[in-house]
Amino acid sequence: YFDIKDLFVKQITDLSKNKPVFIKSAKLNGEQETQELTTINWKKELEPFVESDLNKPAFVQSYNIVETDSTLQYLLKTGEKLPISSILLKRKKNQISNIEIAINDENMLYTLNKALIAEFEKGQLKKYSIKGNQKILIFEQENFHIIGQRK
């Protein structure tokens, strides 16, 4: 599978070193906060993308691959029980321009749904979004949305 982990580890290194200005909005259950930041813990911030790596032994043979000239898509096979349900990579001029990851994880104690989106320009992260909701058994559902965009 495409090495998403490697792509984001390189982004984390580059962003941590160069410290570009990002405008970050975080929304939790309707409460929103927006900040302009140069110092971000990129390892923590982009961790959901790094963890969406399909190159794990448990994931081998679990996804159908659909490829066109401009897209590469991984779809969880019917009957498989893994949290990543799909990944869509879009390419422009042989470079990744966009990644969309759908995560749906559920057990007896909680339900988690996340949509991760990353947009790239000239090989650099331009914008990212982490949107979703989490419901833990005895607590109310939490809705969250984080958006970061290079200024």
Side-chain angles (χ1 to χ4, degrees), residues 51 55 88 111 116 125 143:
E51 290 179 351
N55 293 309
L88 175 64
T111 302
L116 312 176
L125 183 66
N143 299 302

Side-chain angles (χ1 to χ4, degrees), residues 1 6 19 25 32 52 54 58 60 62 67 72 77-78 80 90 96 100 103 105-106 110-111 116 134 142 150:
Y1 301 121
D6 183 59
K19 298 185 183 347
S25 295
Q32 184 167 333
S52 297
L54 295 182
V60 174
S62 297
E67 189 167 9
L72 177 59
K77 291 180 180 177
T78 304
E80 293 285 342
K90 297 179 184 175
I96 297 296
E100 298 174 18
I103 299 172
D105 197 6
E106 190 174 339
Y110 74 92
T111 302
L116 312 176
Q134 177 174 319
E142 288 188 334
R150 197 180 286 250

Side-chain angles (χ1 to χ4, degrees), residues 25-148:
S25 295
K27 189 176 194 178
L28 178 62
N29 296 328
E31 298 288 323
Q32 184 167 333
E33 183 180 320
T34 301
Q35 294 180 314
E36 192 173 295
L37 303 166
T38 53
T39 305
I40 296 175
N41 180 345
W42 287 109
K43 185 175 182 181
K44 183 178 176 193
E45 194 75 12
L46 299 178
E47 185 177 25
F49 293 94
V50 173
E51 290 179 351
S52 297
D53 180 30
L54 295 182
N55 293 309
K56 299 175 184 171
F59 293 2
V60 174
Q61 304 297 318
S62 297
Y63 291 87
N64 290 316
I65 301 170
V66 180
E67 189 167 9
T68 69
D69 288 343
S70 61
T71 64
L72 177 59
Q73 188 169 26
Y74 302 108
L75 300 166
L76 188 62
K77 291 180 180 177
T78 304
E80 293 285 342
K81 300 280 187 219
L82 294 171
I84 301 168
S85 54
S86 69
I87 295 179
L88 175 64
L89 298 115
K90 297 179 184 175
R91 299 179 285 224
K92 285 184 184 169
K93 299 179 184 173
N94 290 328
Q95 279 195 328
I96 297 296
S97 62
N98 189 290
I99 295 176
E100 298 174 18
I101 303 167
I103 299 172
N104 302 293
D105 197 6
E106 190 174 339
N107 66 28
M108 291 173 35
L109 300 176
Y110 74 92
T111 302
L112 172 67
N113 298 298
K114 281 198 281 193
L116 312 176
I117 299 173
E119 297 176 21
F120 298 87
E121 192 171 89
K122 297 179 184 167
Q124 295 185 324
L125 183 66
K126 180 176 85 170
K127 184 178 181 180
Y128 65 95
S129 169
I130 302 168
K131 183 178 183 176
N133 57 65
Q134 177 174 319
K135 172 76 173 101
I136 299 175
L137 189 61
I138 60 171
F139 298 103
E140 293 292 318
Q141 177 172 300
E142 288 188 334
N143 299 302
F144 55 89
H145 192 183
I146 298 166
I147 299 173

